[in-house]
Amino acid sequence: MNFGKVAVLLGGRSAEREVSLKSGAMVLKALRSRGVDAHAFDPSERDFDFLKKEGFARAFIVLHGRFGEDGTVQGILEWLGIPYTGSGVLASALAMDKLRTKRIWAAEKLPTPSYELLGEDTNFRIAARKLGLPIMVKPASEGSSIGMSKVRAAGKLQEAYRAAAKYDRVVIAEQFIDGVELTCGILGEEALPLIKLETPREFYDYEAKYLSDETRYLLPCGLPAKKERELRALCLAAFRTLGCEGWGRVDLMLSKRGRPYLLEVNTAPGMTDHSLVPMAARAVGLSYEDLCVKILEGAHVG
């Protein structure tokens, strides 16, 4: 396809800027290797008006976190009439917000861990008693595990809340699911093979995701074929329930009793050398370069 002049949106001004720069550089190189007229565009350094002024025909969004993955950039691109990759405005905003995501999944009877909304006026001991220990504490609208912590003692819950509140006004405490951590890449109408994540750290945090060489990615994931099919179908349903489209990633836990719990959806997942969607795509015969082209083919307005 002749895509015209393509802007690879990278960097930005979220807490995930550094990861986005790495992802964007790899996407840019991959698209150029396939003959695409692709150019880096960092919205923290240039105004979006330049996309129109300089004749960009499409945008490949590799911005992670706020002001990129939360519907804001998608809205600007729709206003400008420039087709972009990934989910639309509403789906991006919902998926970025873990609290609203969980409420929608619960309303649709999709399994997700129990949670409590935290604030300065929260009775933290009661919250800990309701959820049981340990507890995962998360900023509602951050990614890459930024501001996230695992709490093993009720007396530490308020401290974890305040650490998370530095990144977001909305903070949730979530029931910890002891079991297997899995992730499922979504590409178009297909749920890609599951990847099992193993780390010696407390949980799959920022260091485990981007820096550690000790993190293990198991693909095939080791589950029976029937179970994996069921979980992939569940992830696709979770993705669609939020109105997501194009591509993305769904994270989930499988308890020791074999029950799945959906954690979150990423609508602009990482595309670094440690990233999971490219890994899953390779398992179905899709190279990194071809994956990037396929994502770009799905660019749309609204």
Side-chain angles (χ1 to χ4, degrees):
M1 290 180 66
N2 179 14
F3 297 112
K5 192 175 180 181
V6 175
V8 177
L9 302 187
L10 77 179
R13 54 193 177 98
S14 80
E16 298 178 77
R17 174 177 171 79
E18 293 306 313
V19 179
S20 175
L21 288 170
K22 290 179 183 177
S23 290
M26 289 192 66
V27 169
L28 186 65
K29 181 180 178 182
L31 292 177
R32 286 176 172 174
S33 77
R34 288 292 187 265
V36 178
D37 183 20
H39 304 260
F41 191 98
D42 188 340
S44 71
E45 298 175 354
R46 305 176 73 195
D47 192 272
F48 279 103
D49 285 347
F50 283 101
L51 290 173
K52 269 293 189 187
K53 290 175 184 175
E54 297 180 11
F56 283 101
R58 292 188 181 215
F60 193 123
I61 299 175
V62 206
L63 296 163
H64 306 318
R66 295 184 185 191
F67 313 112
E69 202 171 351
D70 61 356
T72 52
V73 165
Q74 289 78 6
I76 292 169
L77 293 170
E78 291 199 11
W79 179 261
L80 294 173
I82 296 174
Y84 58 89
T85 56
S87 296
V89 176
L90 179 58
S92 297
L94 287 172
M96 191 69 205
D97 187 329
K98 297 178 184 68
L99 175 63
R100 270 74 188 183
T101 291
K102 290 174 77 68
R103 286 174 173 171
I104 291 171
W105 282 343
E108 294 295 320
K109 304 293 190 294
L110 294 173
T112 187
S114 301
Y115 69 95
E116 290 286 323
L117 186 60
L118 301 182
E120 281 294 346
D121 58 349
T122 296
N123 186 316
F124 291 94
R125 292 200 174 274
I126 290 177
R129 197 177 308 133
K130 284 182 180 178
L131 295 174
L133 294 167
I135 294 169
M136 300 305 299
V137 176
K138 307 176 178 182
S141 296
E142 281 293 347
S144 292
S145 301
I146 290 170
M148 188 170 155
S149 59
K150 185 176 180 179
V151 176
R152 294 185 175 277
K156 296 289 186 179
L157 185 55
Q158 186 172 26
E159 180 184 336
Y161 156 72
R162 287 177 175 163
K166 292 176 183 177
Y167 297 93
D168 198 340
R169 290 176 301 169
V170 181
V171 176
I172 60 172
E174 187 178 71
Q175 170 196 12
F176 175 73
I177 305 300
D178 189 12
V180 175
E181 185 157 4
L182 300 163
T183 192
C184 181
I186 307 291
L187 185 59
E189 299 300 312
E190 181 184 3
L192 298 173
L194 298 179
I195 301 173
K196 180 182 177 182
L197 312 172
E198 292 184 347
T199 174
R201 299 179 64 79
E202 275 286 305
F203 62 96
Y204 189 52
D205 60 6
Y206 187 95
E207 174 123 355
K209 287 175 178 174
Y210 302 112
L211 305 174
S212 176
D213 291 325
E214 294 183 306
T215 305
R216 295 182 67 212
Y217 305 97
L218 279 68
L219 178 59
C221 67
L223 293 174
K226 181 182 178 185
K227 185 68 174 179
E228 179 168 358
R229 282 196 301 272
E230 290 172 357
L231 294 178
R232 286 165 71 176
L234 172 65
C235 290
L236 192 56
F239 190 75
R240 288 173 173 165
T241 295
L242 297 180
C244 298
E245 57 187 307
W247 76 297
R249 199 187 76 232
V250 180
D251 299 335
L252 70 158
M253 295 294 299
L254 187 65
S255 75
K256 289 183 176 179
R257 294 185 176 183
R259 183 179 175 188
Y261 291 86
L262 296 161
L263 299 178
E264 63 178 286
V265 172
N266 294 270
T267 54
M271 290 288 282
T272 71
D273 51 359
H274 275 62
S275 295
L276 301 164
V277 174
M279 198 181 300
R282 283 197 299 272
V284 295
L286 206 58
S287 70
Y288 185 94
E289 293 77 11
D290 290 339
L291 170 64
C292 290
V293 170
K294 194 168 182 65
I295 292 170
L296 186 58
E297 285 175 352
H300 60 95
V301 176

